[in-house]
Amino acid sequence: MTQEWWKNAVIYQIYPKSFLDTNGDGVGDLNGIDRKLDYLKKLGIDALWISPVYLSPQIDNGYDIADYRKIDPMFGSNTDMKKLISDAHNHGIKVIMDLVANHTSDQSLWFKESQKSRDNYFSDFYIWKDPQKDGSEPNNWGSNFGGSAWTYCEERQQYYLHYYGKQQPDLNWENPKVRQAIYDVMRYWKAHGVDGWRMDVITSISKNQDFPNNDNPHGLKYVVGNQNNGPRMHEFIHEMNQEVLEPFHMMSVGEAPDSKSKDTRSLVDPTRKELNMVFTFEHMHVDRKPGSVNGRWAIQPANIVELKRILFDWQKNLEGHGWNALYFENHDRARTPSRWGNDKEYRYESATAFATVLHGLKGTPFVYQGEEIGMTNPEFNLDDYEDIELTTNYKKLVENEKTISSKDFLKAARKISRDNARTPMQWNDKLNAGFTSGKPWFKLNPNYPSVNVDKDLSSSKSVFKYYQKLIRLRHTNDILEFGDAKLLMPDDKDIFAYTRQYKNQK
Ligand code: NOJ
């Protein structure tokens, strides 16, 4: 197998909390993943990306890491992880872990020490700033989870920066010790056998050291924006590549929130030795009203012409310059049949149509758990949601700023909130969909008696079997790996058509 194994691979993302619980505590675990390796092999995927399983207070479901070297007991042990990787390898499946290196949890030893004083080993591991003369935050930067991106710490009499929750302080990548500490973590897991990394908001690691205010067109107190692709981003990522990715042959896919296709060339151009691929967010915004103060909660019907334009803009602009990561669903995105299709009368048709569009493109397709059986959004009420992004933004937009009504917020949540994809995996129509024998950590989608793996596999309209075929094609058909992609009928609202051509095959 070449070192570019990911070029004709399909990668399956697991959100461990919601995949399969084997010890009855209501939370999915590593043994649960291990137990389903035969299922995953049957689907045909080549690699797993496992969302964070490290020690964490779970403020943001593991994207707040307290100890990078320790598996959270809720998921199992380091030994279980080693076993899982080795069992996966025995199945011919590679394992990619999640590297959350923009921030840690405030419960990490690094942060606890950093908080204590301005002159210890960890003092400069995070981004600390003095208050302005009137005591206010250093600038107007807003957290993605609502409110200011700065929180005051009495002990140091300074503010620390956090692009996400206040329990998720941002690391100071300007400090070489921080960078080396992260590279060490990557080597540590390499020693456990890991094959690559999905890198959480990796384009946010470099901060503009002038810390300028963000543009503020709506006159808000705190503004989210202009916080990605900082001045030293390429330098840091290249360094990481040279320190760990290249020497240990590890694959990389970076999450790149504000990425545009042309600029991304410089991140994924193989000769620059940075990343193998990135996840853009651009195509995920086709159902968002542009420029609204309510951000992603300002929804509109999906603009399919725009979706086609964006996907093909990436196909065209990365051709000969880099490789695409292809996805519609993940743990931050809603279920496609509910979001852009019709999850009632045409659930199978919606699931398979979007799958065809995605898996026919050039790049590496990612499948998110449950996508392969056409799982849908649950129609939850406000009290059912638990995601920190949703609860904090509800507080900000509905209760404090009153820019959106509770009714409209709920409508948007049912379409696009992250929790839509985080309900437990639906294995069968038995107790808790076969996910747990205990009390599930999160509410199940009530449709599990009719939408589940067992049922799908025995159905004449099986989404799983359709995925199996798409994945097989990816492995056997050169056109899919190498061929050029050309969009047909770009302005047609109803038809998504394109060709792939390689040598004399089309
Ligand atoms: C992106 C992750 O995918 C998301 O789940 C998380 O909340 C943020 N980064 C912060 O880590």
Side-chain angles (χ1 to χ4, degrees):
M1 190 176 274
T2 71
Q3 277 170 20
E4 295 197 329
W5 59 267
W6 36 273
K7 284 201 170 169
N8 79 340
V10 177
I11 301 178
Y12 186 91
Q13 183 194 350
I14 293 190
Y15 199 60
K17 247 185 147 169
S18 296
F19 192 62
L20 180 67
D21 171 28
T22 58
N23 64 357
D25 66 356
V27 180
D29 43 47
L30 294 178
N31 288 334
I33 304 175
D34 202 293
R35 205 174 278 177
K36 289 295 177 185
L37 286 173
D38 287 341
Y39 168 81
L40 296 164
K41 191 69 200 165
K42 181 162 145 186
L43 181 61
I45 52 96
D46 303 273
L48 298 177
W49 148 27
I50 303 179
S51 279
V53 282
Y54 318 90
L55 189 73
S56 160
Q58 300 285 319
I59 292 295
D60 188 17
N61 285 334
Y63 285 91
D64 48 325
I65 299 175
D67 186 342
Y68 287 104
R69 287 183 167 74
K70 193 170 163 29
I71 297 294
D72 195 298
M74 111 186 351
F75 295 120
S77 64
N78 288 37
T79 313
D80 294 334
M81 188 66 197
K82 219 169 174 169
K83 177 174 182 309
L84 172 61
I85 296 173
S86 138
D87 290 350
H89 286 170
N90 289 335
H91 279 75
I93 295 175
K94 295 187 185 293
V95 177
I96 292 159
M97 287 181 89
D98 215 309
L99 182 76
V100 188
N102 176 65
H103 47 270
T104 69
S105 158
D106 62 351
Q107 298 306 305
S108 126
L109 177 127
W110 299 355
F111 188 70
K112 285 187 179 163
E113 290 299 312
S114 192
Q115 250 177 331
K116 284 187 188 157
S117 69
R118 300 184 186 199
D119 55 9
N120 68 54
Y121 183 85
F122 294 99
S123 301
D124 295 331
F125 263 51
Y126 296 84
I127 301 164
W128 295 96
K129 288 267 170 267
D130 291 334
Q132 295 198 46
K133 283 203 186 78
D134 63 357
S136 63
E137 294 85 357
N139 65 23
N140 72 354
W141 291 3
S143 149
N144 284 296
F145 292 165
S148 171
W150 299 94
T151 290
Y152 190 67
C153 165
E154 279 298 336
E155 242 171 321
R156 271 185 70 143
Q157 309 255 307
Q158 280 184 310
Y159 282 95
Y160 66 87
L161 180 67
H162 52 88
Y163 280 0
Y164 294 87
K166 66 175 190 305
Q167 306 89 338
Q168 295 167 291
D170 279 39
L171 284 164
N172 176 18
W173 275 70
E174 299 289 321
N175 180 349
K177 287 184 205 147
V178 166
R179 306 203 296 272
Q180 286 305 327
I182 293 292
Y183 308 152
D184 265 355
V185 166
M186 297 169 80
R187 294 186 196 106
Y188 175 82
W189 289 107
K190 178 67 200 176
H192 281 63
V194 73
D195 301 286
W197 296 95
R198 176 267 182 184
M199 298 178 184
D200 194 64
V201 289
I202 197 68
T203 49
S204 305
I205 55 177
S206 162
K207 274 82 181 171
N208 181 338
Q209 295 301 298
D210 295 336
F211 294 91
N213 277 330
N214 279 332
D215 306 340
N216 195 358
H218 300 291
L220 300 170
K221 188 160 180 210
Y222 308 117
V223 191
V224 186
N226 309 348
Q227 285 164 206
N228 295 304
N229 314 319
R232 296 182 72 189
M233 174 187 79
H234 288 291
E235 178 195 333
F236 294 155
I237 295 177
H238 175 70
E239 181 182 88
M240 178 198 280
N241 178 299
Q242 293 301 288
E243 292 263 352
V244 273
L245 298 173
E246 186 172 274
F248 296 105
H249 310 301
M250 293 203 272
M251 170 270 198
S252 57
V253 52
E255 191 190 30
D258 289 333
S259 51
K260 295 278 182 293
S261 62
K262 271 200 184 140
D263 305 335
T264 296
R265 287 175 178 173
S266 51
L267 261 177
V268 297
D269 174 347
T271 63
R272 291 174 52 93
K273 298 182 188 289
E274 295 186 23
L275 300 173
N276 295 139
M277 303 172 252
V278 305
F279 291 126
T280 179
F281 285 19
E282 217 186 342
H283 63 303
M284 286 288 131
H285 296 172
V286 297
D287 50 8
R288 176 186 297 194
K289 284 191 192 125
S292 165
V293 64
N294 293 320
R296 66 196 230 92
W297 308 95
I299 54 167
Q300 64 176 15
N303 183 338
I304 297 295
V305 170
E306 184 63 0
L307 179 68
K308 299 199 287 190
R309 187 194 64 73
I310 295 169
L311 289 175
F312 274 79
D313 173 71
W314 280 78
Q315 292 285 297
K316 187 170 136 250
N317 285 329
L318 289 199
E319 182 63 51
H321 298 278
W323 197 252
N324 271 287
L326 310 166
Y327 77 98
F328 284 145
E329 290 186 17
N330 64 36
H331 65 292
D332 293 332
R333 306 294 173 188
R335 297 295 186 180
T336 318
S338 313
R339 183 176 182 180
W340 294 339
N342 174 339
D343 63 1
K344 303 283 180 315
E345 293 91 336
Y346 298 114
R347 188 179 62 83
Y348 170 84
E349 288 75 8
S350 298
T352 51
F354 282 106
T356 311
V357 163
L358 197 79
H359 286 246
L361 294 173
K362 188 166 187 172
T364 300
F366 287 74
V367 181
Y368 177 67
Q369 68 184 43
E371 191 175 0
E372 79 280 16
I373 56 161
M375 274 177 66
T376 62
N377 289 356
E379 300 214 325
F380 280 171
N381 290 316
L382 278 169
D383 289 347
D384 298 323
Y385 293 104
E386 75 92 40
D387 177 21
I388 180 173
E389 189 213 21
L390 184 144
T391 50
T392 51
N393 275 293
Y394 183 86
K395 217 180 189 98
K396 172 179 187 284
L397 303 171
V398 181
E399 292 177 354
N400 299 341
E401 291 165 9
K402 300 188 175 37
T403 50
I404 184 169
S405 70
S406 178
K407 194 167 147 241
D408 286 344
F409 189 92
L410 177 61
K411 207 169 138 199
R414 287 182 170 174
K415 266 285 178 206
I416 54 92
S417 83
R418 313 196 298 178
D419 272 343
N420 287 308
R422 298 177 178 186
T423 59
M425 180 72 186
Q426 294 165 205
W427 296 104
N428 54 45
D429 61 4
K430 309 218 170 65
L431 177 73
N432 299 323
F435 162 68
T436 178
S437 58
K439 184 177 177 306
W441 75 275
F442 191 36
K443 202 174 157 177
L444 283 122
N445 187 326
N447 73 1
Y448 75 83
S450 56
V451 179
N452 61 62
V453 171
D454 280 1
K455 190 138 189 177
D456 185 84
L457 283 172
S458 59
S459 163
S460 57
K461 280 179 154 187
S462 166
V463 181
F464 183 97
K465 288 183 184 155
Y466 195 87
Y467 267 90
Q468 261 183 330
K469 283 189 202 153
L470 287 175
I471 295 169
R472 208 174 300 137
L473 265 182
R474 172 75 42 178
H475 292 151
T476 52
N477 191 313
D478 277 354
I479 308 178
L480 284 181
E481 182 174 349
F482 304 109
D484 294 341
K486 191 165 157 249
L487 181 66
L488 307 173
M489 309 159 78
D491 300 322
D492 193 290
K493 288 203 292 287
D494 302 312
I495 296 174
F496 200 137
Y498 58 89
T499 56
R500 295 289 308 275
Q501 183 162 4
Y502 181 56
K503 295 187 176 157
N504 54 1
Q505 298 181 81
K506 196 168 182 173

